[in-house]
Amino acid sequence: MEILFRVGVGEAANFAAYAFAPATLVTPLGALSVLVSAVLSSTFLNEQLNVHGKIGCLLSILGSTVMVIHAPQEEEVSSLESMAEKLKDPGFIVFAVCVLVSSLLLIFVAGPRYGQSNVLVYVLVCSAIGSLSVSCVKGLGIALKELFSGKPVLKEPLGWVLLVCLVICVSIQINYLNKALDIFNTSVVTPIYYVLFTTSVMMCSAILFKEWQHMVLDNIIGTISGFLTIVSGIFLLHAFRDMPFTPDLLPLFLQQGRTDPRISWRSADRHQSCQHQPLLPSEDKSSQSAEEEEEEEGESV
């Protein structure tokens, strides 16, 4: 029960973050939860965090900092009426239709054929539907803010529609994410899902809330660079989790006893001199020299 309570508190905080901050900023920062879980597992569960994992944690922190500095400013949406206008935008309608059609094709066409052998099939379903679920969360956050301010939000049908859509989208996400985790390794599914899900959410938010419309070039480059840095950190943290890091994996000039190139040259010379030793043993040499002396004495006589 305590674990469920903590998970519920975390999800509630994540829900509140979508209500007060751009989705392009909140979703990539979800990588920090992966980082915190890795550090806590290493501290309290005695799980080994190798060099790749530590570098991945540092990259995730660096990328998150860069994204916070260059975070986009979303277009102001303060009411359900404004949210309804955003949902009627032709660009978002085209995006939502493409997401639904592609998800149906992945579920009913690609899933039975390639779902057991290709990790991208089920992960793409989760990521595409997840972008719509984040939009629903954003709208429900606006509805809750209006509800707390005393407005009759419960009479608005849009809030209930967003709630039903959120339940459906989250159910689909959980179902196909569990299928992917049952078939493939967690270290493979987690980084791929994070990259695809975050990319889908950023695209959806850019279309729906026009978050990138007023950004200058520096902020665009900073946001993309921060996101790619986080992706690199997550990849290092998960892809090489079970790989032991030993000195044998280092380059030769970094290994112990080979830091000085003069030592390696001298050792190479010693090995080379050993290769040119005579093939005959010492006893054969003495017997051969004795036979040569006898032959010389015979010739002199």
Side-chain angles (χ1 to χ4, degrees), residues 258 263-277:
R258 297 185 180 182
I263 298 176
S264 61
W265 293 341
R266 292 173 184 173
S267 61
D269 292 339
R270 285 199 299 269
H271 290 302
Q272 186 176 4
S273 62
C274 293
Q275 292 177 357
H276 294 284
Q277 289 180 356

Side-chain angles (χ1 to χ4, degrees), residues 3-238:
I3 296 176
L4 294 177
F5 174 75
R6 293 180 180 179
V7 172
V9 171
E11 292 300 324
N14 192 28
F15 183 90
Y18 280 111
F20 296 99
T24 304
L25 176 62
V26 176
T27 305
L29 291 181
L32 294 178
S33 63
V34 181
L35 185 151
V36 171
S37 63
V39 174
L40 292 179
S41 299
S42 176
T43 303
F44 297 103
L45 300 179
N46 296 323
E47 294 184 1
Q48 295 296 327
L49 189 63
N50 56 15
V51 177
H52 300 93
K54 295 177 181 178
I55 296 175
C57 292
L58 293 176
L59 289 177
S60 299
I61 295 174
L62 178 61
S64 302
T65 305
V66 172
M67 287 205 70
V68 170
I69 294 174
H70 299 279
Q73 297 296 325
E74 65 181 352
E75 190 174 345
E76 185 65 25
V77 181
S78 58
S79 63
L80 284 179
E81 289 79 7
S82 300
M83 187 67 186
E85 294 296 328
K86 296 294 180 185
L87 294 175
K88 294 178 184 178
D89 186 74
F92 177 73
I93 293 175
V94 172
F95 176 81
V97 170
C98 292
V99 167
L100 294 176
V101 171
S102 60
S103 299
L104 291 175
L105 290 176
L106 288 171
I107 292 173
F108 295 106
V109 178
R113 295 182 180 180
Y114 309 107
Q116 300 293 324
S117 58
N118 195 333
V119 68
L120 293 177
V121 176
Y122 293 140
V123 175
L124 279 173
V125 174
C126 300
S127 303
I129 298 297
S131 63
L132 299 180
S133 66
V134 169
S135 301
C136 296
V137 168
K138 189 73 175 177
L140 288 176
I142 296 171
L144 287 178
K145 288 195 295 184
E146 288 190 334
L147 180 63
F148 293 148
S149 63
K151 295 182 180 180
V153 180
L154 297 179
K155 297 180 181 180
E156 295 288 339
L158 180 59
W160 298 105
V161 171
L162 291 175
L163 180 60
V164 172
C165 292
L166 178 62
V167 172
I168 295 174
C169 292
V170 171
S171 301
I172 295 174
Q173 280 184 265
I174 294 175
N175 182 27
Y176 286 97
L177 183 60
N178 287 332
K179 285 186 177 182
L181 292 174
D182 290 338
I183 299 172
F184 304 98
N185 193 357
T186 306
S187 61
V188 176
V189 175
T190 302
I192 295 176
Y193 174 66
Y194 172 80
V195 173
L196 296 178
F197 173 71
T198 307
T199 304
S200 301
V201 171
M202 292 173 68
M203 291 175 58
C204 182
S205 299
I207 295 173
L208 181 60
F209 298 107
K210 308 295 189 296
E211 295 178 348
W212 297 69
Q213 187 172 0
H214 303 290
M215 289 180 65
V216 297
L217 182 61
D218 294 341
N219 290 334
I220 294 175
I221 295 175
T223 302
I224 296 175
S225 301
F227 174 62
L228 294 178
T229 304
I230 296 175
V231 169
S232 302
I234 295 296
F235 179 78
L236 286 176
L237 188 61
H238 284 274

